[in-house]
């Protein structure tokens, strides 16, 4: 059982949703918000979807997607026992028992732990760094960032698992990844018959190179038209040298969902 004294509670800013997080564990950030928004932006209106998140941690991205699109039923997969337990707590906290389920499972062996279902949508925020190529951090910070490193499956495992659960011909996959691994991600998606539809680079400032990339692909044998979407700029420097979020990012965080990339 997770010690509730080691949890914090956060407001997600949508539909009064809240979530518990582990004080000393991996905590959600901008990448989870962007992935939920990007995934929702590839779903048609007025239809139901069945979605799968691989590596959900305590459930932030799945909760945010559910808040944007209540017509999506979500299965969330997480290997860490404490994070899985907190994810279940968050489902109950937001009264989503009929819309969201958590499974403790390993992406490298999904068939052993969850029903052999196929999904309209698979979305994921896989570890950004391999053990050898990630940033050097202190032992204390490493605990907070362990979700950033490939300790329980490499990028290949995540993409193969996700592709295997997509409905052939129309299932879509949405991924956020470190920009430095864009070529690797595209190659893995294409290898697993997930054809690239949209690519969106994410820049910290307008004059800096991209640090993240959002990619959507479709599970199909045909070749859809690929689009390079307008870059997403996270921050801007004001005249007084103060750094603020761009209006686009503020809208993504705060406004009702209206974007559509399909």
């Amino acid at each position: 059982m997770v010690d509730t004294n080691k949890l914090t509670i956060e407001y997600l800013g949508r539909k009064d949703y809240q979530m518990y997080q582990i004080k000393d564990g991996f905590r959600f950030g901008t990448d989870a918000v962007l992935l939920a928004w990007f995934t929702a932006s590839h779903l048609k209106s007025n239809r139901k979807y069945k979605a799968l998140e691989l590596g959900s941690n305590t459930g932030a991205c799945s909760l945010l997607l559910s808040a944007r699109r209540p017509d999506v039923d979500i299965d969330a997969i997480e290997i860490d026992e404490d994070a899985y337990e907190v994810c279940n707590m968050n489902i109950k906290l937001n009264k989503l028992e009929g819309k969201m389920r958590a499974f403790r499972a390993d992406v490298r062996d999904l068939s052993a732990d969850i029903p052999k279902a196929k999904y309209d949508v698979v979305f994921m925020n896989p570890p950004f760094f391999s053990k050898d190529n990630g940033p050097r951090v202190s032992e204390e910070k490493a605990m907070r960032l362990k979700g950033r490193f490939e300790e329980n499956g490499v990028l290949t495992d995540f993409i193969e698992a996700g592709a295997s659960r997509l409905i052939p011909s129309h299932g879509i996959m949405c991924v956020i990844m470190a920009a430095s691994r864009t070529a690797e991600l595209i190659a893995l998606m294409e290898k697993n018959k997930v054809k690239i539809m949209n690519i969106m680079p994410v820049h910290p400032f307008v004059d800096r190179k991209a640090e993240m990339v959002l990619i959507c692909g479709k599970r199909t044998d045909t070749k859809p038209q690929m689009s390079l979407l307008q870059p997403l700029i996270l921050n801007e420097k004001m005249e007084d040298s103060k750094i603020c979020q761009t209006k686009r990012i503020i809208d993504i965080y705060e406004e009702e969902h209206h974007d559509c990339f399909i």
Side-chain angles (χ1 to χ4, degrees):
M1 292 287 293
V2 174
D3 183 351
T4 55
N5 293 318
K6 294 183 178 180
L7 300 179
T8 62
I9 191 165
E10 319 285 345
Y11 285 91
L12 292 178
R14 277 186 187 278
K15 288 197 169 182
D16 296 324
Y17 279 19
Q18 304 174 65
M19 70 172 291
Y20 295 108
Q21 293 196 93
I22 301 169
K23 288 181 183 178
D24 298 325
F26 182 80
R27 301 172 72 82
F28 87 93
T30 301
D31 46 355
V33 176
L34 296 183
L35 178 60
W37 162 77
F38 188 72
T39 302
S41 298
H42 284 88
L43 306 182
K44 295 179 180 179
S45 59
N46 302 317
R47 65 155 289 190
K48 291 182 67 68
Y49 287 90
K50 187 173 182 180
L52 173 70
E53 182 182 10
L54 298 180
S56 64
N57 196 258
T58 54
C61 190
S62 285
L63 291 171
L64 288 165
L65 177 59
S66 180
R68 287 178 180 273
R69 290 296 301 262
D71 50 354
V72 178
D73 292 337
I74 302 170
D75 287 344
I77 306 302
E78 175 55 45
I79 192 171
D80 182 82
E81 183 174 6
D82 287 347
Y84 156 76
E85 184 177 333
V86 175
C87 187
N88 265 317
M89 293 171 63
N90 287 328
I91 291 171
K92 294 176 183 177
L93 178 66
N94 295 286
K95 298 179 174 59
L96 292 172
E97 292 93 335
K99 304 294 296 181
M100 181 175 166
R101 301 184 298 176
F103 293 87
R104 188 182 177 205
D106 190 328
V107 297
R108 294 163 292 189
D109 190 17
L110 287 183
S111 61
D113 298 289
I114 68 171
K116 292 184 177 180
K118 295 288 186 179
Y119 296 86
D120 303 292
V121 185
V122 173
F123 60 105
M124 66 185 86
N125 181 3
F128 277 15
F129 310 111
S130 68
K131 289 184 178 180
D132 298 327
N133 296 325
R136 295 182 180 276
V137 296
S138 66
E139 184 175 341
E140 179 182 353
K141 194 172 183 180
M143 286 300 295
R144 284 183 173 270
L145 296 179
K146 67 179 183 178
R148 280 282 180 262
F149 294 87
E150 294 178 334
E151 294 185 358
N152 296 299
V154 299
L155 184 57
T156 301
D157 298 317
F158 279 81
I159 300 304
E160 287 181 352
S164 72
R165 291 308 181 105
L166 282 175
I167 296 174
S169 78
H170 78 263
I172 67 167
M173 176 185 290
C174 292
V175 187
I176 190 166
M177 177 46 58
S180 60
R181 302 184 73 179
T182 301
E184 179 186 3
L185 174 58
I186 290 173
L188 285 170
M189 291 174 72
E190 294 277 354
K191 180 181 178 181
N192 287 277
K193 295 185 177 181
V194 180
K195 308 302 182 182
I196 306 303
M197 295 167 55
N198 288 319
I199 302 174
M200 175 179 284
V202 182
H203 300 251
F205 295 93
V206 70
D207 58 350
R208 302 276 185 87
K209 66 180 182 180
E211 291 186 352
M212 296 184 289
V213 64
L214 289 153
I215 297 182
C216 177
K218 179 184 285 189
R219 177 69 189 271
T220 177
D221 291 323
T222 62
K223 193 78 172 178
Q225 182 176 354
M226 184 178 73
S227 297
L228 184 62
L229 301 176
Q230 182 177 352
L232 193 61
I233 312 300
L234 300 180
N235 306 294
E236 59 184 341
K237 295 178 182 177
M238 312 304 288
E239 290 184 0
D240 59 359
S241 298
K242 184 179 180 181
I243 295 174
C244 299
Q245 290 180 325
T246 61
K247 183 180 184 304
R248 182 71 166 126
I249 294 301
I250 293 172
D251 286 347
I252 288 171
Y253 268 87
E254 298 180 0
E255 296 298 319
E256 289 299 314
H257 192 92
H258 55 78
D259 295 300
C260 183
F261 301 133
I262 54 174

